[in-house]
Amino acid sequence: MLKNVSWKKLSERFRELGFDGPYSGGRHLFMIKDSLKVRIPNPHAGDISKDLLAEILRQAGISKNDWNG
């Protein structure tokens, strides 16, 4: 089950899962793993909702089980 997550926790967990970044990329930051580039929300907003987190994970090819570790 997914929960709302802070931007800091999102970026830390993505790095644990093998992504590099975040890098600046115009309007949004992004993280990279091999040839996959995943946009992530800007850090100055509030927590990332579970619905947005689910979409980011889908785009990154990360299962909910892998995310929850």
Side-chain angles (χ1 to χ4, degrees):
M1 180 173 182
L2 295 176
K3 298 178 185 176
N4 292 357
V5 65
S6 69
W7 185 89
K8 183 178 178 182
K9 179 65 178 172
L10 175 79
S11 61
E12 287 173 354
R13 187 70 181 117
F14 262 63
R15 282 194 294 273
E16 290 171 2
L17 293 168
F19 283 79
D20 292 322
Y23 300 105
S24 179
R27 292 181 140 186
H28 294 282
L29 300 172
F30 62 92
M31 298 189 79
I32 297 175
K33 181 177 182 181
D34 300 322
S35 63
L36 180 62
K37 181 176 173 180
V38 179
R39 285 184 292 172
I40 59 173
N42 289 320
H44 51 77
D47 282 353
I48 298 163
S49 72
K50 61 184 178 182
D51 293 332
L52 180 54
L53 176 58
E55 178 61 21
I56 294 168
L57 295 179
R58 184 191 67 76
Q59 291 176 14
I62 299 171
S63 71
K64 291 176 185 176
N65 287 337
D66 287 342
W67 174 257
N68 291 321

